[in-house]
Amino acid sequence: KNQVEQSPQSLIILEGKNCTLQCNYTVSPFSNLRWYKQDTGRGPVSLTIMTFSENTKSNGRYTATLDADTKQSSLHITASQLSDSASYICVVANYGGSQGNLIFGKGTKLSVKP
Amino acid sequence: GAGVSQSPSNKVTEKGKDVELRCDPISGHTALYWYRQRLGQGLEFLIYFQGNSAPDKSGLPSDRFSAERTGESVSTLTIQRTQQEDSAVYLCASSLGQGVTYEQYFGPGTRLTVT
């Protein structure tokens, strides 16, 4: 069964600190992996998209990694800011599937405190 | 340019009533998706439209759910005889094409509460 699991479920950190969010998946055949940021009451916004051959991709203070062998990804946030408080969703796209081809994780809810 | 818009932003309805949710995709985007997000859960795919092709309805949870799209523009998601378990945020997304390499742009969602 195609699944995407994220950990931790929630996380509280102090402003200025770094953090890493995890994503494990069992999706086949794999096409790409995406990280989205979803602010409360808003739709998800894409942070990064990585294909099978990409190991790392950065977007400002956000750096995503992908290990296609172990089917794991992480999102590292550097020097966190209050505006980073949001849910971070890992999404894996697969070829040939229905469901619009995207499998969504439940997200990690990050709270950045001053 | 304008992003994906959805209306209403919030809808409270009584159990058994029908509701209609609207999505205006980004102009020029041929693919349009509907998702449901229950509290504390991941997004669930409902249906997608690609151009004039027959829509993929494989995610619709029951025959009470239906969706229409006029050409490559507005789409409406209709839920008939609403139940309390239909309470969720309904998100719409659009993309330039249908395929796993295309970026999906999401609207702000409609929060549906069935009392």
Side-chain angles (χ1 to χ4, degrees), chain A residues 9 31-32 34 36 38 41-46 49 89 93-102 104-107, chain B residues 33 35 37 40-45 48 56 58-59 89 91 98-109 111:
Chain A
Q9 190 173 24
S31 173
N32 59 67
R34 313 167 183 208
Y36 284 85
Q38 185 175 22
R42 311 289 287 272
V45 174
S46 178
I49 300 178
I89 304 171
N94 72 319
Y95 284 112
S98 61
Q99 305 184 355
N101 300 322
L102 298 184
F104 290 80
K106 293 182 180 181
Chain B
Y33 303 78
Y35 296 93
Q37 187 175 30
Q41 301 297 312
L43 274 71
E44 303 171 71
F45 166 77
Y48 83 77
D56 179 347
S58 61
V89 175
L91 289 161
Q98 189 279 318
V100 295
T101 59
Y102 287 96
E103 181 63 68
Q104 290 190 18
Y105 296 85
F106 286 84
R111 181 175 297 278

Side-chain angles (χ1 to χ4, degrees), chain B residues 85-103:
Chain B
E85 62 262 28
D86 298 334
S87 296
V89 175
Y90 290 83
L91 289 161
C92 173
S94 70
S95 63
L96 275 172
Q98 189 279 318
V100 295
T101 59
Y102 287 96
E103 181 63 68

Side-chain angles (χ1 to χ4, degrees), chain B residues 32 34 47 49 57 66-70 73-78:
Chain B
L32 185 148
W34 282 99
I47 185 171
F49 299 86
K57 304 179 180 181
S66 62
E68 299 290 333
R69 187 181 187 192
T70 307
S73 60
V74 172
S75 175
T76 55
L77 176 69
T78 301

Side-chain angles (χ1 to χ4, degrees), chain B:
Chain B
V4 178
S5 61
Q6 293 186 244
S7 61
S9 55
N10 282 283
K11 176 72 176 179
V12 180
T13 190
E14 293 180 351
K15 178 181 172 181
K17 300 285 188 183
D18 297 351
V19 295
E20 201 170 88
L21 312 180
R22 176 188 170 107
C23 172
D24 284 87
I26 294 172
S27 178
H29 281 194
T30 61
L32 185 148
Y33 303 78
W34 282 99
Y35 296 93
R36 178 171 69 180
Q37 187 175 30
R38 288 178 164 147
L39 187 65
Q41 301 297 312
L43 274 71
E44 303 171 71
F45 166 77
L46 296 176
I47 185 171
Y48 83 77
F49 299 86
Q50 168 57 34
N52 294 318
S53 301
D56 179 347
K57 304 179 180 181
S58 61
L60 294 178
S62 77
D63 59 7
R64 296 187 295 106
F65 288 73
S66 62
E68 299 290 333
R69 187 181 187 192
T70 307
E72 294 184 354
S73 60
V74 172
S75 175
T76 55
L77 176 69
T78 301
I79 308 173
Q80 295 179 311
R81 305 180 302 283
T82 53
Q83 303 295 313
Q84 288 186 329
E85 62 262 28
D86 298 334
S87 296
V89 175
Y90 290 83
L91 289 161
C92 173
S94 70
S95 63
L96 275 172
Q98 189 279 318
V100 295
T101 59
Y102 287 96
E103 181 63 68
Q104 290 190 18
Y105 296 85
F106 286 84
T110 293
R111 181 175 297 278
L112 175 66
T113 303
V114 181
T115 61

Side-chain angles (χ1 to χ4, degrees), chain A residues 8-93:
Chain A
Q9 190 173 24
S10 62
L11 181 63
I12 301 174
I13 62 173
L14 293 176
E15 185 179 12
K17 298 296 186 182
N18 305 334
C19 67
T20 300
L21 314 180
Q22 301 291 340
C23 173
N24 297 334
Y25 63 92
T26 54
V27 177
S28 181
F30 174 90
S31 173
N32 59 67
L33 185 145
R34 313 167 183 208
W35 282 94
Y36 284 85
K37 178 186 179 187
Q38 185 175 22
D39 292 309
T40 301
R42 311 289 287 272
V45 174
S46 178
L47 295 175
T48 63
I49 300 178
M50 289 185 292
T51 60
F52 184 89
S53 59
E54 295 176 295
N55 300 120
T56 303
K57 184 163 280 190
S58 292
N59 178 357
R61 295 179 296 102
Y62 301 101
T63 299
T65 65
L66 174 63
D67 185 334
D69 292 331
T70 62
K71 299 187 177 182
Q72 296 179 325
S73 176
S74 65
L75 180 69
H76 186 74
I77 304 174
T78 304
S80 61
Q81 300 176 358
L82 298 179
S83 60
D84 292 332
S85 295
S87 285
Y88 291 84
I89 304 171
C90 177
V91 185
V92 179

